[in-house]
Amino acid sequence: MSAATPKKADGWFKECGPHSSVVISSRVRLARNVLNASFPSLNKQTDLKNVLDTVLKVAEAHPLFKKGSIQRMPDLSALDRQVLMERHIISKELAANDRFGGLLLDETERTPVMINEEDHVRMAALGPGLGLEEAWERLTELDDWMGKRLPWSYHTSFGFLTACPTNCGTGLRASTLLHLPALVMTNEIHNILQGLSRLGLAARGFYGEGSKALGDIFQISNASSLGKNEKSLIRLVQQITLRLVKHETEARQRIHETPWRVKTEDAVFRSLGILQNARQIGFEEAMTLLSRLRLGLHLGLDLGVSLSTLNSLTILTQPAHLTRAEGKDLSIPDRDAARAALLRKNLAR
Amino acid sequence: MSAATPKKADGWFKECGPHSSVVISSRVRLARNVLNASFPSLNKQTDLKNVLDTVLKVAEAHPLFKKGSIQRMPDLSALDRQVLMERHIISKELAANDRFGGLLLDETERTPVMINEEDHVRMAALGPGLGLEEAWERLTELDDWMGKRLPWSYHTSFGFLTACPTNCGTGLRASTLLHLPALVMTNEIHNILQGLSRLGLAARGFYGEGSKALGDIFQISNASSLGKNEKSLIRLVQQITLRLVKHETEARQRIHETPWRVKTEDAVFRSLGILQNARQIGFEEAMTLLSRLRLGLHLGLDLGVSLSTLNSLTILTQPAHLTRAEGKDLSIPDRDAARAALLRKNLAR
């Protein structure tokens, strides 16, 4: 196992923050590019190598990134990269990059910096529950520190220049990961997601862009980062998140009324029964059933399981995490069996 | 509740007899008609009334049928009749008959006699597991006793005359109720059922003629009763039943081998989890899941439940039994909730 691989099996993901009944986590990231080096997509090897070397060198001086927390992608196994991706620390794209990609990761896993992903530098601050402002404070500190040591590509009209125009300006994306099972159950989710785009927000699934909303988990974020300052972008995502928390909470109350109530409780307890007993289970099904348990907890049902355990299982039942825990490559049936065993162990009464 | 309604909630059905891993119960019945009275299907009220009065009167003298165990259908509520049908004591047809139908039912529920069903008299002996010969001994005794007191319609070539030609001759039908989940799982059941008809046997579902094989439960019986004596008919059903026991047992061994094994165990434990946790469940689904538990028991899985409990639940989760247990009419959702509650209570670890 590589040094950059997180030590704690489930990291901060198991913690619960503000509004954690709906908001799983918050994240703010900044996109930055080094002056006079071409964007990673142009694939100029010398530029990519220079950027990676320069950023890693600079990072050594920062107290957050001690030795071992600075990593070149080729030094990480495909499994380690997959694990980092499953923890939402690096993107699918960086996980696939085994040439000049890099990662800075502090011990708490709350301030990951990706190097040579879509942009030269993507620094992020994240944490449990609704905590965009706290994340932003940490991130802006890191950004200031970096900005003093690295010459960023900046334009007086367009702000920070980025590979994709939607990231120009502040280069900021604020996002929250939301659990919206009641809005899915009542079919209200579609209208709500459509409404989001009119408000300048984008909605995605569990693994970010283009991914399916596994387990009723949605990521919402500002759609563009130009023309507004950082604080107002964060405020926008914060406000819409709070509005979605309200919608979801109301929908949960509605489905807790007759005749929905028995149906909902039935679905929740059946999910518990399956998770406590299955001998083989795929990740998608596990996510769907865990989502129902999470809903059940918020409806006040006695499931003998904590939200923290559910959060943790959402991470640990992913393919690479299971493979790492077993210490060997697993066939799909074996992985499904390992997942079922892990769920049984953690959900036993 | 009527006096003819069984006292024990689950009766002998919860007991386990020989080969009970596959054979749920055995039954032998004889069809008899009273001389010079038209068959019930002709619906001649005077004849029907006379037959009913005569048979009930005669039965009073038999030690098995004490007061209260002799019943006219109109004196039973629709619910009581439904309960008797769910216990396989009377047929659907007799349950629907609220004019001149009658029932003699001994205390152990093992020797029911239906009056004015398809024939004037249908007397049966039944019990748990494979016990056709024992049932036949009891039945032939009753038949002798009845034959001395009632003039049966008999023809020297055709034997006992019956409403349906397939019952002529001995008027005997021997049947076994078999649980064949492994043959269903491996898809071997279709060929086997087809083969049965060539051997002179008929296969049916859980509730007899024309019914679906709920919970992988099949009834097999001799297709006609003419041209063979009673003992050879019983021997035929006995032998074929033993052959099916062998097929099913071998199929269970096969599905207990890799890679079927994990799949089977998964299906069994998921079923347990759902039954232990559901808040609403229909009868068909309950039967399917109980069938898997029964299979699991025979595969040696530790489910914390006995075969006797499963047998009993198969009876008690039926609609009329639930209604009777609750003591009031139930809507379908309420009945599904009562069924789920009963299952949870009986399957709790």
Side-chain angles (χ1 to χ4, degrees):
Chain A
M1 200 183 305
S2 152
T5 313
K7 275 138 217 98
K8 277 200 289 179
D10 38 17
W12 61 263
F13 213 83
K14 69 188 293 187
E15 294 174 30
C16 300
H19 298 285
S20 63
S21 68
V22 176
V23 189
I24 298 175
S25 62
S26 299
R27 170 191 202 96
V28 187
R29 68 102 170 115
L30 289 169
R32 298 288 184 258
N33 287 279
V34 176
L35 197 64
N36 296 329
S38 57
F39 290 134
S41 59
L42 295 177
N43 207 19
K44 282 205 184 157
Q45 311 285 305
T46 354
D47 281 3
L48 289 169
K49 188 174 181 312
N50 279 341
V51 166
L52 181 62
D53 291 346
T54 310
V55 179
L56 292 189
K57 182 85 194 133
V58 162
E60 280 174 13
H62 196 288
L64 266 182
F65 308 118
K66 292 171 195 145
K67 58 177 165 40
S69 65
I70 295 173
Q71 205 71 43
R72 289 165 193 270
M73 282 297 120
D75 296 339
L76 293 176
S77 69
L79 179 65
D80 283 339
R81 296 200 301 270
Q82 181 80 8
V83 164
L84 290 165
M85 196 270 271
E86 290 179 355
R87 299 166 91 79
H88 304 259
I89 289 168
I90 66 174
S91 65
K92 213 170 172 176
E93 289 66 33
L94 193 68
N97 179 334
D98 56 2
R99 295 293 313 267
F100 299 107
L103 172 68
L104 313 177
L105 185 64
D106 68 301
E107 254 194 350
T108 66
E109 295 183 32
R110 290 179 191 233
T111 321
V113 179
M114 296 193 282
I115 302 159
N116 285 333
E117 203 247 16
E118 190 180 286
D119 295 298
H120 293 149
V121 175
R122 289 240 174 147
M123 52 188 118
L126 34 98
L130 184 54
L132 290 171
E133 281 161 4
E134 181 270 337
W136 170 243
E137 278 166 30
R138 286 191 285 125
L139 187 59
T140 194
E141 232 177 75
L142 177 62
D143 180 42
D144 287 349
W145 189 92
M146 289 267 191
K148 282 178 194 146
R149 286 153 183 88
L150 289 161
W152 296 140
S153 210
Y154 187 84
H155 184 278
T156 44
S157 305
F158 298 124
F160 290 100
L161 297 179
T162 53
C164 176
T166 58
N167 289 315
C168 274
T170 59
L172 180 141
R173 174 150 291 150
S175 63
T176 50
L177 207 56
L178 304 171
H179 184 234
L180 306 175
L183 292 174
V184 170
M185 257 190 177
T186 58
N187 280 323
E188 292 166 80
I189 193 72
H190 301 291
N191 284 339
I192 286 173
L193 294 184
Q194 277 176 0
L196 285 182
S197 64
R198 285 195 295 274
L199 296 165
L201 279 99
R204 297 158 179 182
F206 186 61
Y207 289 120
E209 206 152 354
S211 69
K212 268 178 68 183
L214 280 181
D216 309 320
I217 293 175
F218 297 82
Q219 190 202 82
I220 68 154
S221 63
N222 54 308
S224 93
S225 61
L226 184 66
K228 284 193 173 177
N229 68 31
E230 291 85 348
K231 290 223 163 173
S232 63
L233 285 171
I234 286 170
R235 209 177 307 123
L236 173 70
V237 178
Q238 171 97 8
Q239 280 167 352
I240 304 297
T241 298
L242 283 172
R243 207 184 293 177
L244 285 170
V245 169
K246 188 167 171 282
H247 282 318
E248 169 66 19
T249 307
E250 286 168 359
R252 287 179 189 173
Q253 273 157 5
R254 273 201 302 287
I255 63 170
H256 211 210
E257 286 157 12
T258 335
W260 273 91
R261 190 193 178 107
V262 188
K263 273 187 209 297
T264 309
E265 292 192 5
D266 184 51
V268 170
F269 279 105
R270 280 171 180 249
S271 302
L272 180 65
I274 294 172
L275 289 168
Q276 283 175 334
N277 284 282
R279 261 54 187 171
Q280 279 185 322
I281 192 163
F283 178 60
E284 290 208 16
E285 186 188 1
M287 284 289 280
T288 303
L289 300 180
L290 286 171
S291 165
R292 293 203 195 122
L293 295 201
R294 186 187 282 269
L295 173 64
L297 278 191
H298 300 315
L299 296 180
L301 300 179
D302 173 23
L303 306 178
V305 59
S306 68
L307 186 56
S308 155
T309 299
L310 295 184
N311 281 345
S312 164
L313 286 171
T314 303
I315 295 298
L316 299 181
T317 54
Q318 293 176 100
H321 276 80
L322 287 171
T323 304
R324 197 178 63 168
E326 296 283 316
K328 60 175 182 199
D329 275 353
L330 296 172
S331 67
I332 290 179
D334 286 349
R335 204 163 66 197
D336 288 352
R339 181 178 293 113
L342 180 74
L343 286 162
R344 286 204 306 281
K345 195 179 142 202
N346 280 277
L347 295 173
R349 282 274 191 178
Chain B
M1 200 183 304
S2 154
T5 313
K7 274 139 218 97
K8 278 199 290 179
D10 37 17
W12 62 263
F13 213 82
K14 69 188 293 186
E15 294 175 30
C16 299
H19 298 284
S20 63
S21 67
V22 177
V23 189
I24 297 174
S25 62
S26 300
R27 171 190 202 96
V28 188
R29 68 104 169 114
L30 289 169
R32 298 286 183 260
N33 287 279
V34 176
L35 197 63
N36 296 330
S38 57
F39 291 133
S41 58
L42 296 178
N43 207 20
K44 282 204 184 157
Q45 311 285 305
T46 354
D47 281 3
L48 289 170
K49 188 173 182 313
N50 279 342
V51 166
L52 180 62
D53 291 345
T54 310
V55 179
L56 292 188
K57 180 88 195 128
V58 163
E60 280 175 15
H62 197 287
L64 266 182
F65 309 118
K66 291 169 194 146
K67 59 178 160 52
S69 65
I70 295 173
Q71 205 72 43
R72 288 164 194 270
M73 282 296 120
D75 296 339
L76 293 176
S77 69
L79 179 65
D80 283 338
R81 296 201 301 269
Q82 181 80 8
V83 164
L84 290 165
M85 197 269 271
E86 290 179 355
R87 299 166 90 80
H88 304 259
I89 289 168
I90 66 173
S91 66
K92 213 171 172 175
E93 289 66 34
L94 193 67
N97 179 334
D98 57 2
R99 296 289 318 264
F100 300 107
L103 171 68
L104 313 177
L105 185 64
D106 68 302
E107 255 195 347
T108 66
E109 294 184 34
R110 290 180 190 233
T111 322
V113 179
M114 296 192 282
I115 303 159
N116 285 333
E117 203 247 16
E118 190 179 286
D119 295 297
H120 292 148
V121 174
R122 289 242 175 145
M123 51 187 117
L126 35 98
L130 184 54
L132 290 171
E133 281 161 5
E134 181 270 336
W136 170 242
E137 278 167 31
R138 285 190 286 126
L139 187 59
T140 195
E141 230 175 77
L142 177 61
D143 180 43
D144 287 348
W145 189 92
M146 288 268 192
K148 282 179 195 146
R149 287 156 183 86
L150 290 161
W152 297 140
S153 208
Y154 186 85
H155 184 279
T156 44
S157 306
F158 299 123
F160 291 100
L161 296 179
T162 52
C164 176
T166 58
N167 289 314
C168 274
T170 59
L172 180 141
R173 174 151 290 150
S175 63
T176 50
L177 207 56
L178 305 170
H179 183 234
L180 307 174
L183 292 173
V184 170
M185 257 189 175
T186 59
N187 279 323
E188 291 166 80
I189 193 72
H190 301 291
N191 284 340
I192 286 173
L193 294 185
Q194 276 177 0
L196 286 182
S197 65
R198 284 194 296 274
L199 296 165
L201 279 98
R204 297 157 180 181
F206 187 61
Y207 289 121
E209 206 153 353
S211 70
K212 268 178 67 184
L214 279 181
D216 308 321
I217 294 175
F218 296 83
Q219 188 202 83
I220 69 155
S221 63
N222 54 308
S224 93
S225 61
L226 184 67
K228 284 193 171 177
N229 68 31
E230 291 85 348
K231 289 223 161 174
S232 62
L233 285 171
I234 286 170
R235 208 178 307 123
L236 173 70
V237 177
Q238 172 97 8
Q239 281 168 352
I240 303 297
T241 298
L242 283 171
R243 207 186 291 177
L244 286 170
V245 169
K246 187 167 171 284
H247 281 317
E248 170 66 19
T249 307
E250 285 168 359
R252 288 179 188 174
Q253 273 158 5
R254 274 200 303 286
I255 62 169
H256 210 209
E257 287 157 13
T258 335
W260 274 91
R261 189 194 179 105
V262 187
K263 274 186 209 296
T264 309
E265 292 192 5
D266 184 51
V268 170
F269 279 105
R270 280 172 180 248
S271 302
L272 180 65
I274 294 171
L275 289 169
Q276 283 175 333
N277 285 282
R279 261 55 186 170
Q280 278 185 322
I281 192 164
F283 179 60
E284 289 208 16
E285 186 188 1
M287 284 289 280
T288 304
L289 300 180
L290 286 171
S291 165
R292 294 203 194 122
L293 294 201
R294 186 186 282 269
L295 173 64
L297 277 192
H298 299 315
L299 296 179
L301 301 178
D302 173 22
L303 306 178
V305 59
S306 68
L307 185 57
S308 155
T309 299
L310 296 184
N311 281 345
S312 166
L313 286 172
T314 303
I315 295 298
L316 299 181
T317 55
Q318 293 176 100
H321 276 80
L322 287 171
T323 305
R324 196 178 63 168
E326 297 283 315
K328 60 175 180 198
D329 275 353
L330 297 171
S331 67
I332 291 179
D334 286 349
R335 203 163 66 197
D336 288 353
R339 182 178 293 113
L342 181 73
L343 286 162
R344 286 205 305 282
K345 196 179 143 201
N346 280 277
L347 295 172
R349 281 274 191 176

